[in-house]
Amino acid sequence: MLWVETEAGQQLLKNRQRAAVRTGSSSLSLTALQCVCTGCCCPSSLQSLVNLVSLVFHPHDTKLESQPVSHQNTDLSLSPSFLLVAAGRKALGEEGLESLRRHAEYITLDKDTAHPLLQVSWDRKYVRSVVEEQDVPDNPERFDTLRAILGAYGFSAGDHYWEVDVEWKDRWEIGLCMASVTRKGDIFICPENGFWVLSLENNEYKALSNPPSILSVREPILKLGIFLQYEKGLISFYNVTDCSLLYTFKSTFTKPLKPYFYPGPRTKGNTRGLLIPN
C-alpha cells in the first residue's frame, strides 16, 4: 500500500489493520518501510506497490481493479518523503496458499519446444540440462539458442496457479511468456519481449523486468508458486517455503500465455532439473 504522509493515508492503514483482525487473519502483518525520496518517483514503481498490496488483501476479488498510478494522479509534492507499506513476508500464510491452490493447473511440458540440450521425462513433468544434444528435429517451435522449454498448454483467460520444485539448483528462470515469442537466436528476457520471469543466478534472486529488480528473499526458495490472473493482468510469484509473496508483474494480456522454464546450463552446482509436482 502506498500513500503520501497525510491523515487519510494513516487512517487507511488503521482500517486495513482492523480489517485483518476482524477476519482473524493474524498472519497479515504489515511492515512499514520508510523511504526518503529527493527526486521524482517512477510511476511504474508506484503501480507495482499498489498491485502487490491489492493482491495480498484481495487475491481472489474479481471485482477489484488496479487503478493506474502516474504523476498526474499521485501528488508527491506534499512531502519530500513518503511512506511505503507492503505486506509482511508471512502475509500469505498457509490459508492463503491453500486458497491459491484452488486454482491449481495440471502443467506439463511441451517436448517440441525443448532446446536440444534439455532432457524431458516421459511424463513431461521434469526437465534437466544434459551434456550432449538430444536427437530432435529443428522444428519452428523449438528453442535453438536459449536453453528453455514451454508448457504444453496456454492460457487466454481466468486464474491459474502452479508450483515448480527448484531445490538443489543454483540457476533457473521460471515464469510465463507469450505463446508467440520467438524461439530462434539470442533472446533478451523481459516483459517488453513477452516474458514475465523470476530467476536465480549467482545466489541472487531477480525479477527480470527492464532493468531487472533484485529481490530480498529471507528464506531460500525451494518451491516457487506462480499465479496468473489473466483479466487483471497480474502474474505473481510466491515462495512456497515461507508462504510469502515475492513479486508481481502488472501488464495487459491480449494473447495466449504459456508457462516458461529455463533450468540453466549443466554445472557442478546445477545438475538437477526443474520438477512440476502433480
Side-chain angles (χ1 to χ4, degrees), residues 150-175:
L150 301 184
Y153 302 104
F155 307 113
S156 55
D159 295 349
H160 311 274
Y161 177 80
W162 62 98
E163 296 175 354
V164 182
D165 284 335
V166 296
E167 191 172 4
W168 303 111
K169 290 186 60 61
D170 64 6
R171 182 73 176 97
W172 50 259
E173 294 175 6
I174 296 171

PDB file of all heavy atoms in Angstrom, residues 150-175:
ATOM      1  N   LEU A 150       8.739 -24.687 -23.001  1.00  0.00           N
ATOM      2  CA  LEU A 150       7.460 -24.100 -22.613  1.00  0.00           C
ATOM      3  C   LEU A 150       6.496 -25.175 -22.128  1.00  0.00           C
ATOM      4  O   LEU A 150       6.690 -26.370 -22.354  1.00  0.00           O
ATOM      5  CB  LEU A 150       6.830 -23.348 -23.786  1.00  0.00           C
ATOM      6  CG  LEU A 150       7.641 -22.208 -24.391  1.00  0.00           C
ATOM      7  CD1 LEU A 150       6.825 -21.502 -25.469  1.00  0.00           C
ATOM      8  CD2 LEU A 150       8.102 -21.222 -23.329  1.00  0.00           C
ATOM      9  N   GLY A 151       5.455 -24.727 -21.452  1.00  0.00           N
ATOM     10  CA  GLY A 151       4.380 -25.623 -21.061  1.00  0.00           C
ATOM     11  C   GLY A 151       3.579 -26.057 -22.283  1.00  0.00           C
ATOM     12  O   GLY A 151       3.566 -25.385 -23.322  1.00  0.00           O
ATOM     13  N   ALA A 152       2.886 -27.179 -22.140  1.00  0.00           N
ATOM     14  CA  ALA A 152       2.167 -27.744 -23.284  1.00  0.00           C
ATOM     15  C   ALA A 152       0.930 -26.943 -23.655  1.00  0.00           C
ATOM     16  O   ALA A 152       0.532 -26.916 -24.821  1.00  0.00           O
ATOM     17  CB  ALA A 152       1.783 -29.190 -22.985  1.00  0.00           C
ATOM     18  N   TYR A 153       0.308 -26.291 -22.677  1.00  0.00           N
ATOM     19  CA  TYR A 153      -0.947 -25.594 -22.933  1.00  0.00           C
ATOM     20  C   TYR A 153      -0.844 -24.135 -22.513  1.00  0.00           C
ATOM     21  O   TYR A 153      -0.126 -23.790 -21.567  1.00  0.00           O
ATOM     22  CB  TYR A 153      -2.096 -26.279 -22.200  1.00  0.00           C
ATOM     23  CG  TYR A 153      -2.252 -27.737 -22.582  1.00  0.00           C
ATOM     24  CD1 TYR A 153      -1.819 -28.752 -21.734  1.00  0.00           C
ATOM     25  CD2 TYR A 153      -2.798 -28.085 -23.816  1.00  0.00           C
ATOM     26  CE1 TYR A 153      -1.943 -30.085 -22.096  1.00  0.00           C
ATOM     27  CE2 TYR A 153      -2.924 -29.427 -24.185  1.00  0.00           C
ATOM     28  CZ  TYR A 153      -2.492 -30.416 -23.329  1.00  0.00           C
ATOM     29  OH  TYR A 153      -2.595 -31.732 -23.694  1.00  0.00           O
ATOM     30  N   GLY A 154      -1.593 -23.294 -23.215  1.00  0.00           N
ATOM     31  CA  GLY A 154      -1.581 -21.868 -22.936  1.00  0.00           C
ATOM     32  C   GLY A 154      -2.852 -21.413 -22.229  1.00  0.00           C
ATOM     33  O   GLY A 154      -3.832 -22.158 -22.116  1.00  0.00           O
ATOM     34  N   PHE A 155      -2.812 -20.173 -21.766  1.00  0.00           N
ATOM     35  CA  PHE A 155      -3.939 -19.574 -21.045  1.00  0.00           C
ATOM     36  C   PHE A 155      -4.311 -18.250 -21.708  1.00  0.00           C
ATOM     37  O   PHE A 155      -3.441 -17.421 -21.975  1.00  0.00           O
ATOM     38  CB  PHE A 155      -3.580 -19.314 -19.583  1.00  0.00           C
ATOM     39  CG  PHE A 155      -3.036 -20.517 -18.868  1.00  0.00           C
ATOM     40  CD1 PHE A 155      -1.716 -20.543 -18.444  1.00  0.00           C
ATOM     41  CD2 PHE A 155      -3.835 -21.626 -18.625  1.00  0.00           C
ATOM     42  CE1 PHE A 155      -1.205 -21.639 -17.780  1.00  0.00           C
ATOM     43  CE2 PHE A 155      -3.332 -22.735 -17.965  1.00  0.00           C
ATOM     44  CZ  PHE A 155      -2.008 -22.749 -17.546  1.00  0.00           C
ATOM     45  N   SER A 156      -5.585 -18.076 -21.980  1.00  0.00           N
ATOM     46  CA  SER A 156      -6.058 -16.818 -22.557  1.00  0.00           C
ATOM     47  C   SER A 156      -7.197 -16.213 -21.742  1.00  0.00           C
ATOM     48  O   SER A 156      -7.832 -15.255 -22.186  1.00  0.00           O
ATOM     49  CB  SER A 156      -6.503 -17.035 -24.009  1.00  0.00           C
ATOM     50  OG  SER A 156      -7.477 -18.061 -24.087  1.00  0.00           O
ATOM     51  N   ALA A 157      -7.443 -16.762 -20.558  1.00  0.00           N
ATOM     52  CA  ALA A 157      -8.466 -16.220 -19.662  1.00  0.00           C
ATOM     53  C   ALA A 157      -8.357 -16.930 -18.315  1.00  0.00           C
ATOM     54  O   ALA A 157      -7.745 -18.004 -18.207  1.00  0.00           O
ATOM     55  CB  ALA A 157      -9.874 -16.434 -20.247  1.00  0.00           C
ATOM     56  N   GLY A 158      -8.919 -16.309 -17.273  1.00  0.00           N
ATOM     57  CA  GLY A 158      -9.045 -16.968 -15.983  1.00  0.00           C
ATOM     58  C   GLY A 158      -7.841 -16.847 -15.072  1.00  0.00           C
ATOM     59  O   GLY A 158      -6.830 -16.216 -15.392  1.00  0.00           O
ATOM     60  N   ASP A 159      -7.963 -17.500 -13.890  1.00  0.00           N
ATOM     61  CA  ASP A 159      -6.916 -17.539 -12.871  1.00  0.00           C
ATOM     62  C   ASP A 159      -6.291 -18.938 -12.852  1.00  0.00           C
ATOM     63  O   ASP A 159      -7.015 -19.941 -12.858  1.00  0.00           O
ATOM     64  CB  ASP A 159      -7.493 -17.226 -11.488  1.00  0.00           C
ATOM     65  CG  ASP A 159      -8.022 -15.805 -11.383  1.00  0.00           C
ATOM     66  OD1 ASP A 159      -7.759 -15.010 -12.310  1.00  0.00           O
ATOM     67  OD2 ASP A 159      -8.697 -15.486 -10.391  1.00  0.00           O
ATOM     68  N   HIS A 160      -4.967 -18.998 -12.794  1.00  0.00           N
ATOM     69  CA  HIS A 160      -4.261 -20.276 -12.878  1.00  0.00           C
ATOM     70  C   HIS A 160      -3.047 -20.248 -11.956  1.00  0.00           C
ATOM     71  O   HIS A 160      -2.296 -19.271 -11.935  1.00  0.00           O
ATOM     72  CB  HIS A 160      -3.810 -20.539 -14.315  1.00  0.00           C
ATOM     73  CG  HIS A 160      -4.902 -20.352 -15.329  1.00  0.00           C
ATOM     74  ND1 HIS A 160      -5.792 -21.353 -15.654  1.00  0.00           N
ATOM     75  CD2 HIS A 160      -5.261 -19.264 -16.060  1.00  0.00           C
ATOM     76  CE1 HIS A 160      -6.656 -20.899 -16.554  1.00  0.00           C
ATOM     77  NE2 HIS A 160      -6.347 -19.635 -16.829  1.00  0.00           N
ATOM     78  N   TYR A 161      -2.841 -21.364 -11.237  1.00  0.00           N
ATOM     79  CA  TYR A 161      -1.732 -21.455 -10.279  1.00  0.00           C
ATOM     80  C   TYR A 161      -1.013 -22.790 -10.447  1.00  0.00           C
ATOM     81  O   TYR A 161      -1.641 -23.817 -10.683  1.00  0.00           O
ATOM     82  CB  TYR A 161      -2.272 -21.328  -8.849  1.00  0.00           C
ATOM     83  CG  TYR A 161      -1.212 -21.488  -7.781  1.00  0.00           C
ATOM     84  CD1 TYR A 161      -0.362 -20.438  -7.440  1.00  0.00           C
ATOM     85  CD2 TYR A 161      -1.049 -22.700  -7.102  1.00  0.00           C
ATOM     86  CE1 TYR A 161       0.619 -20.589  -6.469  1.00  0.00           C
ATOM     87  CE2 TYR A 161      -0.073 -22.858  -6.124  1.00  0.00           C
ATOM     88  CZ  TYR A 161       0.761 -21.795  -5.816  1.00  0.00           C
ATOM     89  OH  TYR A 161       1.733 -21.932  -4.858  1.00  0.00           O
ATOM     90  N   TRP A 162       0.316 -22.746 -10.319  1.00  0.00           N
ATOM     91  CA  TRP A 162       1.110 -23.981 -10.309  1.00  0.00           C
ATOM     92  C   TRP A 162       2.398 -23.728  -9.545  1.00  0.00           C
ATOM     93  O   TRP A 162       2.745 -22.586  -9.228  1.00  0.00           O
ATOM     94  CB  TRP A 162       1.393 -24.493 -11.723  1.00  0.00           C
ATOM     95  CG  TRP A 162       2.184 -23.578 -12.599  1.00  0.00           C
ATOM     96  CD1 TRP A 162       3.519 -23.611 -12.865  1.00  0.00           C
ATOM     97  CD2 TRP A 162       1.676 -22.485 -13.379  1.00  0.00           C
ATOM     98  NE1 TRP A 162       3.879 -22.619 -13.736  1.00  0.00           N
ATOM     99  CE2 TRP A 162       2.772 -21.915 -14.064  1.00  0.00           C
ATOM    100  CE3 TRP A 162       0.399 -21.940 -13.558  1.00  0.00           C
ATOM    101  CZ2 TRP A 162       2.624 -20.817 -14.920  1.00  0.00           C
ATOM    102  CZ3 TRP A 162       0.261 -20.855 -14.395  1.00  0.00           C
ATOM    103  CH2 TRP A 162       1.361 -20.302 -15.064  1.00  0.00           C
ATOM    104  N   GLU A 163       3.089 -24.822  -9.234  1.00  0.00           N
ATOM    105  CA  GLU A 163       4.327 -24.745  -8.466  1.00  0.00           C
ATOM    106  C   GLU A 163       5.436 -25.505  -9.181  1.00  0.00           C
ATOM    107  O   GLU A 163       5.165 -26.439  -9.955  1.00  0.00           O
ATOM    108  CB  GLU A 163       4.114 -25.322  -7.063  1.00  0.00           C
ATOM    109  CG  GLU A 163       3.116 -24.522  -6.232  1.00  0.00           C
ATOM    110  CD  GLU A 163       2.792 -25.141  -4.884  1.00  0.00           C
ATOM    111  OE1 GLU A 163       3.261 -26.284  -4.625  1.00  0.00           O
ATOM    112  OE2 GLU A 163       2.070 -24.504  -4.087  1.00  0.00           O
ATOM    113  N   VAL A 164       6.674 -25.097  -8.907  1.00  0.00           N
ATOM    114  CA  VAL A 164       7.842 -25.744  -9.508  1.00  0.00           C
ATOM    115  C   VAL A 164       8.879 -25.965  -8.412  1.00  0.00           C
ATOM    116  O   VAL A 164       9.232 -25.033  -7.678  1.00  0.00           O
ATOM    117  CB  VAL A 164       8.455 -24.882 -10.632  1.00  0.00           C
ATOM    118  CG1 VAL A 164       9.631 -25.618 -11.267  1.00  0.00           C
ATOM    119  CG2 VAL A 164       7.402 -24.532 -11.686  1.00  0.00           C
ATOM    120  N   ASP A 165       9.363 -27.200  -8.291  1.00  0.00           N
ATOM    121  CA  ASP A 165      10.435 -27.510  -7.336  1.00  0.00           C
ATOM    122  C   ASP A 165      11.774 -27.057  -7.914  1.00  0.00           C
ATOM    123  O   ASP A 165      12.147 -27.456  -9.028  1.00  0.00           O
ATOM    124  CB  ASP A 165      10.492 -29.014  -7.062  1.00  0.00           C
ATOM    125  CG  ASP A 165       9.368 -29.475  -6.148  1.00  0.00           C
ATOM    126  OD1 ASP A 165       8.867 -28.638  -5.380  1.00  0.00           O
ATOM    127  OD2 ASP A 165       9.002 -30.664  -6.215  1.00  0.00           O
ATOM    128  N   VAL A 166      12.503 -26.246  -7.140  1.00  0.00           N
ATOM    129  CA  VAL A 166      13.798 -25.734  -7.591  1.00  0.00           C
ATOM    130  C   VAL A 166      14.906 -26.061  -6.594  1.00  0.00           C
ATOM    131  O   VAL A 166      15.991 -25.468  -6.648  1.00  0.00           O
ATOM    132  CB  VAL A 166      13.725 -24.207  -7.822  1.00  0.00           C
ATOM    133  CG1 VAL A 166      12.762 -23.882  -8.944  1.00  0.00           C
ATOM    134  CG2 VAL A 166      13.311 -23.478  -6.537  1.00  0.00           C
ATOM    135  N   GLU A 167      14.655 -26.993  -5.678  1.00  0.00           N
ATOM    136  CA  GLU A 167      15.633 -27.341  -4.650  1.00  0.00           C
ATOM    137  C   GLU A 167      16.898 -27.918  -5.284  1.00  0.00           C
ATOM    138  O   GLU A 167      16.850 -28.593  -6.305  1.00  0.00           O
ATOM    139  CB  GLU A 167      15.022 -28.342  -3.678  1.00  0.00           C
ATOM    140  CG  GLU A 167      15.859 -28.571  -2.435  1.00  0.00           C
ATOM    141  CD  GLU A 167      15.137 -29.431  -1.396  1.00  0.00           C
ATOM    142  OE1 GLU A 167      14.013 -29.900  -1.694  1.00  0.00           O
ATOM    143  OE2 GLU A 167      15.699 -29.619  -0.311  1.00  0.00           O
ATOM    144  N   TRP A 168      18.040 -27.630  -4.658  1.00  0.00           N
ATOM    145  CA  TRP A 168      19.352 -28.116  -5.089  1.00  0.00           C
ATOM    146  C   TRP A 168      19.771 -27.557  -6.445  1.00  0.00           C
ATOM    147  O   TRP A 168      20.546 -28.169  -7.167  1.00  0.00           O
ATOM    148  CB  TRP A 168      19.394 -29.646  -5.124  1.00  0.00           C
ATOM    149  CG  TRP A 168      19.056 -30.284  -3.828  1.00  0.00           C
ATOM    150  CD1 TRP A 168      17.944 -31.002  -3.533  1.00  0.00           C
ATOM    151  CD2 TRP A 168      19.849 -30.261  -2.630  1.00  0.00           C
ATOM    152  NE1 TRP A 168      17.967 -31.431  -2.233  1.00  0.00           N
ATOM    153  CE2 TRP A 168      19.134 -30.984  -1.648  1.00  0.00           C
ATOM    154  CE3 TRP A 168      21.083 -29.701  -2.294  1.00  0.00           C
ATOM    155  CZ2 TRP A 168      19.614 -31.170  -0.366  1.00  0.00           C
ATOM    156  CZ3 TRP A 168      21.553 -29.880  -1.003  1.00  0.00           C
ATOM    157  CH2 TRP A 168      20.822 -30.615  -0.058  1.00  0.00           C
ATOM    158  N   LYS A 169      19.253 -26.391  -6.805  1.00  0.00           N
ATOM    159  CA  LYS A 169      19.663 -25.744  -8.050  1.00  0.00           C
ATOM    160  C   LYS A 169      20.202 -24.348  -7.744  1.00  0.00           C
ATOM    161  O   LYS A 169      19.696 -23.666  -6.863  1.00  0.00           O
ATOM    162  CB  LYS A 169      18.482 -25.635  -9.027  1.00  0.00           C
ATOM    163  CG  LYS A 169      18.056 -26.988  -9.599  1.00  0.00           C
ATOM    164  CD  LYS A 169      16.991 -26.834 -10.670  1.00  0.00           C
ATOM    165  CE  LYS A 169      17.428 -26.021 -11.834  1.00  0.00           C
ATOM    166  NZ  LYS A 169      18.588 -26.591 -12.571  1.00  0.00           N
ATOM    167  N   ASP A 170      21.228 -23.945  -8.525  1.00  0.00           N
ATOM    168  CA  ASP A 170      21.776 -22.606  -8.332  1.00  0.00           C
ATOM    169  C   ASP A 170      21.577 -21.713  -9.559  1.00  0.00           C
ATOM    170  O   ASP A 170      22.121 -20.621  -9.642  1.00  0.00           O
ATOM    171  CB  ASP A 170      23.267 -22.656  -7.963  1.00  0.00           C
ATOM    172  CG  ASP A 170      24.146 -23.242  -9.070  1.00  0.00           C
ATOM    173  OD1 ASP A 170      23.618 -23.516 -10.177  1.00  0.00           O
ATOM    174  OD2 ASP A 170      25.346 -23.408  -8.826  1.00  0.00           O
ATOM    175  N   ARG A 171      20.782 -22.197 -10.514  1.00  0.00           N
ATOM    176  CA  ARG A 171      20.480 -21.400 -11.711  1.00  0.00           C
ATOM    177  C   ARG A 171      19.148 -21.832 -12.279  1.00  0.00           C
ATOM    178  O   ARG A 171      18.925 -23.017 -12.537  1.00  0.00           O
ATOM    179  CB  ARG A 171      21.580 -21.597 -12.765  1.00  0.00           C
ATOM    180  CG  ARG A 171      21.367 -20.755 -14.028  1.00  0.00           C
ATOM    181  CD  ARG A 171      21.644 -19.288 -13.785  1.00  0.00           C
ATOM    182  NE  ARG A 171      21.519 -18.498 -15.017  1.00  0.00           N
ATOM    183  CZ  ARG A 171      20.408 -17.820 -15.342  1.00  0.00           C
ATOM    184  NH1 ARG A 171      19.346 -17.844 -14.549  1.00  0.00           N
ATOM    185  NH2 ARG A 171      20.386 -17.118 -16.451  1.00  0.00           N
ATOM    186  N   TRP A 172      18.237 -20.899 -12.464  1.00  0.00           N
ATOM    187  CA  TRP A 172      16.964 -21.181 -13.115  1.00  0.00           C
ATOM    188  C   TRP A 172      16.251 -19.884 -13.481  1.00  0.00           C
ATOM    189  O   TRP A 172      16.548 -18.819 -12.937  1.00  0.00           O
ATOM    190  CB  TRP A 172      16.043 -22.049 -12.259  1.00  0.00           C
ATOM    191  CG  TRP A 172      15.824 -21.629 -10.820  1.00  0.00           C
ATOM    192  CD1 TRP A 172      16.422 -22.166  -9.720  1.00  0.00           C
ATOM    193  CD2 TRP A 172      14.944 -20.600 -10.332  1.00  0.00           C
ATOM    194  NE1 TRP A 172      15.978 -21.534  -8.580  1.00  0.00           N
ATOM    195  CE2 TRP A 172      15.068 -20.570  -8.921  1.00  0.00           C
ATOM    196  CE3 TRP A 172      14.068 -19.699 -10.931  1.00  0.00           C
ATOM    197  CZ2 TRP A 172      14.345 -19.688  -8.121  1.00  0.00           C
ATOM    198  CZ3 TRP A 172      13.348 -18.803 -10.140  1.00  0.00           C
ATOM    199  CH2 TRP A 172      13.487 -18.808  -8.757  1.00  0.00           C
ATOM    200  N   GLU A 173      15.312 -20.005 -14.410  1.00  0.00           N
ATOM    201  CA  GLU A 173      14.364 -18.939 -14.751  1.00  0.00           C
ATOM    202  C   GLU A 173      13.003 -19.595 -14.920  1.00  0.00           C
ATOM    203  O   GLU A 173      12.883 -20.619 -15.599  1.00  0.00           O
ATOM    204  CB  GLU A 173      14.756 -18.228 -16.051  1.00  0.00           C
ATOM    205  CG  GLU A 173      16.053 -17.457 -15.977  1.00  0.00           C
ATOM    206  CD  GLU A 173      16.460 -16.877 -17.328  1.00  0.00           C
ATOM    207  OE1 GLU A 173      15.660 -16.994 -18.294  1.00  0.00           O
ATOM    208  OE2 GLU A 173      17.563 -16.313 -17.431  1.00  0.00           O
ATOM    209  N   ILE A 174      11.988 -18.994 -14.303  1.00  0.00           N
ATOM    210  CA  ILE A 174      10.639 -19.578 -14.339  1.00  0.00           C
ATOM    211  C   ILE A 174       9.617 -18.457 -14.432  1.00  0.00           C
ATOM    212  O   ILE A 174       9.770 -17.412 -13.787  1.00  0.00           O
ATOM    213  CB  ILE A 174      10.371 -20.423 -13.074  1.00  0.00           C
ATOM    214  CG1 ILE A 174      11.324 -21.620 -13.017  1.00  0.00           C
ATOM    215  CG2 ILE A 174       8.920 -20.908 -13.027  1.00  0.00           C
ATOM    216  CD1 ILE A 174      11.275 -22.375 -11.709  1.00  0.00           C
ATOM    217  N   GLY A 175       8.579 -18.685 -15.221  1.00  0.00           N
ATOM    218  CA  GLY A 175       7.523 -17.687 -15.312  1.00  0.00           C
ATOM    219  C   GLY A 175       6.563 -18.001 -16.440  1.00  0.00           C
ATOM    220  O   GLY A 175       6.193 -19.154 -16.662  1.00  0.00           O
TER     221      GLY A 175
END
